[in-house]
Amino acid sequence: MPSKSSARLAALTVAAVCSAAAATQLVVLPTPAHADSVRVHDIQGSTRTSPYAGQQVTDVTGVVTGIRTYGSSKGFWIQDPAPDADPATSEGVFVFTNSAPKGVAVGDLVAVSGTVAEYVPGGASSGNQSLTEITRPTFTVVSGGHPVPAATAVDARSVPDAYTPSGDPAANGSVNGLRLRPARYALDFYESLEGMNVRVADARVVGATDPYTELWVTVKPRENPSRRGGTVYGSYDAQNTGRLQVQSLGPAAGFPEANVGDTLTGTTAGPLDYNQFGGYTLVANELGALQSGGLERETTRGQKQGELAVATYNVENLDPSDDTFAAHAAAIVDNLKSPDIVSLEEIQDDNGATDDGVVTAGRTVGGLIEAIVAAGGPRYDWRGIDPADDADGGEPGGNIRQVFLFNPQRVSFTDRAGGDATTAVGVTRVRGRAALTVSPGRVAPAEEAWKNSRKPLAGEFVFRGRTVIVIANHFNSKGGDQGLTSQYQPPARSSETQRHQQAALVNAFVGDVLAVQKNADVIALGDINDFEFSETAKILEGDGELWSAVKSLPRSERYSYTYQGNSQVLDQILVSPSIRRGCGLDYDSVHINAEFHDQISDHDPQVLRFRP
């Protein structure tokens, strides 16, 4: 849907005069009623912000190319059918009417008067670029039945490979004041088409349809492709310029339910918008036909007799009221082949988001265990630590936490009493080997780094006589970071600060284990909420204490999450040197959710198999 911001401008006064003139293929712009009348390209200007911002404009003419009657950004787009010669100036603009516009239709030639405004979806604190609009409008329909100006092609030839210029240091890194260079930078190219009628052809889907009836396509099918049809985000400097969000001006019921790898065949066309949740967006009044790419959910292989299989799976706020238990169970049994140890993230308490002091999760975890048995899997046992009420972030009242499932027929858990929400687990030596002081236990739970965030859960397991220490993590989210299309370039990633602190604490704990036993088998896994190339991952890896095993995969397979059309790594399994250099390390990112419109979680589980 369009920007979910509720802060919009006030009332609309409309003076609509319906023309009885017959439809014509020739658009004749009316003579301006006032000497100070301006054209659309004058309003848009050659930078991201209008030189007329805050000023009144009169009788701005254009043909209506689209009408939006839903959401908080109601209004219509107009486009001047007589463009100027400057490629930096857009010929389209959005007319914000506040309520559903009346008395206007696509193809009408209108004259609009109002105030030029720069609306920032998400508010100024978001760092987003602004959208140039005409607000508080009055308009007159001069004549109807005109052809909509031909849509500008957005394709591999027209979109530059370079993403954006660096921001102006004198403007706090903002690109707003820089003249657009649409032939050189992708974001400048899109900005030069803001509000204009654009089209894509035979576009491959790289972000599945989401609950807000939007999807992502790429106009550059050869740009960092995954082997399953997505676009892989593999570095901060490879933003993938061909990605474009698609919404619809039609009813939600008619929007295609697309998976990654599908194709919108033919033409998809409509005005180019900019919104809070994805930046530049083709708001389609013409949608291509959906052609399936035949994508299927992956199934990993089962572990062999001498292999230990360890998995991480974010089950997205699972609580007893959810209807996804059977689906999650089937994923664990059928797609993951019943790993020996499973770290689950986002397990909520026994009454979900009800904020009444309940912190236990026995019903939630027990329900999943029973569903796994019903699906033909083993009867897992489990360990976890209840958090302090409302202290670990996530959905208010939900008290999300990590828990361990383990198959007692294959692996045993070493219980050591004393672990609770506030007691820090330590490392000691038992018969010459590293051991946890409490098991399960939490890593440094009193540290400021874990404020309003999930504390790591450490547990000690034994497989075929070998101790394996596992640390389940769910690091601080990326909430508050500036988007890739931000006006500030490069965008600020403020949430990293806390993740860096968290990574340092987990790395230090692993270092304590290895200081006691150099060849200890240690696994740190979970929803790290950061990329395998990020500074967070580098801090976690440290000086070789850990290594992110997702890097054992080809680059085209390194992803567990899809965000704004970028397939990326958030979930990781990191291993100590004894595991990395041992026998038969085998890693699999099992793609069952992130690429599908009917996902039961937004994360793909990860599985590691090795011989201790």
Side-chain angles (χ1 to χ4, degrees):
M1 300 299 290
S3 169
K4 286 94 176 170
S5 171
S6 60
R8 295 306 312 243
L9 297 171
L12 159 71
T13 303
V14 176
V17 179
C18 297
S19 172
T24 176
Q25 296 300 305
L26 176 65
V27 179
V28 179
L29 298 181
T31 302
H34 303 276
D36 59 353
S37 295
V38 297
R39 304 277 289 276
V40 172
H41 49 250
D42 298 322
I43 293 172
Q44 287 285 8
S46 59
T47 68
R48 283 175 167 77
T49 55
S50 172
Y52 286 86
Q55 298 182 35
Q56 294 284 327
V57 291
T58 305
D59 292 339
V60 180
T61 54
V63 174
V64 177
T65 60
I67 300 173
R68 184 159 56 200
T69 60
Y70 59 82
S72 59
S73 288
K74 299 180 181 70
F76 58 90
W77 288 268
I78 63 171
Q79 184 168 332
D80 192 328
D84 66 5
D86 188 350
T89 58
S90 171
E91 301 295 338
V93 71
F94 184 66
V95 180
F96 172 63
T97 57
N98 192 50
S99 58
K102 298 179 180 179
V104 65
V106 171
D108 284 350
L109 177 65
V110 296
V112 180
S113 300
T115 303
V116 177
E118 291 291 335
Y119 167 61
V120 181
S125 63
S126 70
N128 285 329
Q129 296 184 41
S130 59
L131 182 69
T132 302
E133 300 178 338
I134 299 177
T135 64
R136 307 179 190 276
T138 60
F139 63 87
T140 300
V141 176
V142 179
S143 58
H146 297 279
V148 171
T152 300
V154 177
D155 55 27
R157 292 184 177 182
S158 59
V159 180
D161 292 332
Y163 191 66
T164 179
S166 296
D168 182 359
N172 199 29
S174 174
V175 296
N176 276 354
L178 304 180
R179 177 177 171 81
L180 298 177
R181 290 182 281 180
R184 183 168 181 179
Y185 297 111
L187 289 191
D188 286 10
F189 171 78
Y190 291 123
E191 177 64 20
S192 73
L193 300 176
E194 179 191 275
M196 289 179 61
N197 193 29
V198 301
R199 61 180 170 86
V200 299
D202 297 329
R204 192 180 77 233
V205 175
V206 294
T209 304
D210 66 18
Y212 302 104
T213 59
E214 56 199 18
L215 56 81
W216 288 77
V217 299
T218 181
V219 299
K220 293 185 173 183
R222 297 181 180 178
E223 184 178 53
N224 299 317
S226 77
R227 65 179 181 85
R228 289 167 56 84
T231 298
V232 176
Y233 182 56
S235 76
Y236 290 122
D237 296 324
Q239 300 95 332
N240 295 316
T241 61
R243 296 173 302 110
L244 186 63
Q245 187 171 225
V246 176
Q247 296 176 341
S248 176
L249 288 174
F255 197 78
E257 294 182 337
N259 297 326
V260 168
D262 292 349
T263 300
L264 287 181
T265 61
T267 298
T268 297
L272 187 66
D273 196 19
Y274 183 95
N275 68 37
Q276 177 182 354
F277 302 98
Y280 295 104
T281 301
L282 194 167
V283 188
N285 47 33
E286 178 184 0
L287 273 169
L290 184 66
Q291 177 179 299
S292 173
L295 193 69
E296 296 183 356
R297 287 176 164 84
E298 288 188 331
T299 297
T300 196
R301 70 168 177 86
Q303 62 270 34
K304 299 174 183 177
Q305 182 64 27
E307 289 181 316
L308 179 66
V310 182
T312 174
Y313 186 19
N314 183 319
V315 291
E316 196 174 4
N317 290 319
L318 188 67
D319 76 73
S321 68
D322 289 337
D323 61 1
T324 55
F325 281 87
H328 283 305
I332 291 170
V333 174
D334 298 330
N335 300 92
L336 304 187
K337 297 301 181 184
S338 302
D340 302 311
I341 302 169
V342 184
S343 166
L344 297 173
E345 297 85 49
E346 293 198 19
I347 289 288
Q348 289 201 347
D349 64 34
D350 286 333
N351 60 7
T354 301
D355 196 358
D356 59 358
V358 170
V359 296
T360 58
R363 287 183 58 211
T364 306
V365 182
L368 181 58
I369 290 173
E370 292 301 325
I372 291 171
V373 172
R379 180 168 291 280
Y380 282 100
D381 202 346
W382 72 285
R383 296 292 187 274
I385 291 178
D386 294 333
D389 189 34
D390 291 334
D392 283 12
E395 185 178 21
N399 290 311
I400 57 173
R401 83 289 308 273
Q402 303 86 264
V403 304
F404 293 122
L405 297 185
F406 63 96
N407 181 357
Q409 301 301 313
R410 294 263 303 167
V411 66
S412 63
F413 189 87
T414 302
D415 288 295
R416 291 194 181 89
D420 58 26
T422 59
T423 299
V425 61
V427 182
T428 188
R429 188 187 303 271
V430 176
R431 294 188 292 276
R433 296 183 178 182
L436 303 181
T437 55
V438 293
S439 177
R442 303 181 106 190
V443 176
E447 291 288 341
E448 186 71 14
W450 306 114
K451 185 176 181 180
N452 294 321
S453 186
R454 283 68 56 188
K455 286 70 174 171
L457 179 71
E460 189 175 319
F461 297 85
V462 176
F463 176 73
R464 298 170 68 91
R466 177 82 175 180
T467 296
V468 181
I469 294 173
V470 183
I471 307 159
N473 302 275
H474 185 184
F475 282 7
N476 182 51
S477 79
K478 290 181 174 291
D481 287 1
Q482 293 172 354
L484 291 181
T485 60
S486 168
Q487 66 160 297
Y488 301 104
Q489 295 293 335
R493 301 185 295 269
S494 59
S495 69
E496 284 184 340
T497 300
Q498 188 172 3
R499 284 195 302 282
H500 292 173
Q501 296 167 350
Q502 293 172 343
L505 288 171
V506 173
N507 174 269
F509 179 75
V510 174
D512 291 344
V513 175
L514 298 180
V516 173
Q517 182 187 344
K518 185 177 180 180
N519 68 340
D521 290 340
V522 185
I523 299 172
L525 78 174
D527 181 358
I528 304 302
N529 262 321
D530 225 334
F531 317 118
E532 81 280 16
F533 55 81
S534 67
E535 186 66 21
T536 301
K538 293 176 182 177
I539 295 170
L540 256 179
E541 292 180 320
D543 293 326
E545 292 87 0
L546 291 169
W547 176 72
S548 183
V550 73
K551 293 190 289 188
S552 67
L553 296 177
R555 292 185 183 274
S556 63
E557 298 180 29
R558 295 183 195 174
Y559 59 95
S560 67
Y561 192 86
T562 300
Y563 182 68
Q564 296 183 352
N566 271 333
S567 296
Q568 56 196 246
V569 169
L570 292 186
D571 307 84
Q572 301 185 47
I573 302 179
L574 298 97
V575 298
S576 62
S578 64
I579 299 175
R580 180 183 182 185
R581 298 166 187 166
C583 297
L585 182 147
D586 185 23
Y587 192 93
D588 197 359
S589 182
V590 187
H591 304 303
I592 62 173
N593 286 317
E595 300 167 316
F596 296 90
H597 74 273
D598 55 348
Q599 57 190 225
I600 55 172
S601 168
D602 46 0
H603 292 253
D604 286 332
Q606 314 290 292
V607 178
L608 173 76
R609 291 173 289 264
F610 70 102
R611 295 180 180 272

